[in-house]
Amino acid sequence: MEKFRLQIITPERVFFDQDAEMVEFNTTEGEIGVYARHIPMTVIVKPGILTIRMENNEAKEAALHAGFVEILPDQVTILAEIIEWPEEIDEARAEAALERARERLKSRTPETDIARAETALMRAMARITVLKQ
């Protein structure tokens, strides 16, 4: 299968910089899978699981929380606010964040920022899902 360059960059580090056969992630418009020779576009990341398919169908997963993606035919660049490999995630903190977000949504008041609470819930769920896989 044809490959493309995948770069994932955060404010703190270069998270990933290798060739890949496919990358999948959530956008504000829905889930997307990108192969080499994809049409050029720019998308906004929505919290969820990022899956990188490498040679020999090897897959790597990470929890991707926010950012922008530039897709070109031979390169995909993800500018991520936060992205974490499973071994970087503290399970107890992720579970506590999930419970806080659920509680905030359940007992909302007029002052509750619903969009922020839903985003916190999606981030916590992504962390936990990556840990469990």
Side-chain angles (χ1 to χ4, degrees):
M1 184 173 275
E2 210 172 329
K3 297 179 193 161
F4 60 91
R5 192 65 174 183
L6 174 60
Q7 293 182 312
I8 305 172
I9 302 164
T10 72
E12 291 82 33
R13 64 184 169 155
V14 174
F15 181 81
F16 187 88
D17 187 4
Q18 294 181 37
D19 287 342
E21 292 183 349
M22 185 180 80
V23 63
E24 294 176 283
F25 53 91
N26 292 328
T27 75
T28 54
E29 302 300 315
E31 191 171 349
I32 187 172
V34 179
Y35 290 93
R37 298 185 186 209
H38 196 285
I39 61 167
M41 61 191 309
T42 303
V43 296
I44 300 170
V45 170
K46 186 174 177 182
I49 307 300
L50 171 106
T51 303
I52 304 167
R53 301 245 181 246
M54 314 281 286
E55 275 186 289
N56 303 322
N57 211 26
E58 176 191 350
K60 293 183 173 202
E61 292 188 327
L64 176 59
H65 301 293
F68 298 90
V69 182
E70 177 187 47
I71 301 167
L72 300 172
D74 62 346
Q75 181 171 329
V76 174
T77 304
I78 300 174
L79 301 176
E81 248 180 66
I82 301 169
I83 185 167
E84 302 162 298
W85 295 118
E87 59 272 12
E88 298 173 330
I89 298 170
D90 180 328
E91 187 172 2
R93 272 186 73 206
E95 292 283 354
L98 179 66
E99 189 54 40
R100 279 193 311 274
R102 283 183 174 155
E103 186 56 38
R104 198 174 311 129
L105 287 169
K106 184 176 155 189
S107 60
R108 60 180 142 187
T109 66
E111 294 80 36
T112 303
D113 185 340
I114 302 301
R116 186 172 170 203
E118 288 173 342
T119 300
L121 181 68
M122 286 187 281
R123 288 179 177 179
M125 287 172 49
R127 285 183 170 122
I128 292 166
T129 302
V130 162
L131 282 170
K132 305 277 184 202
Q133 294 188 21

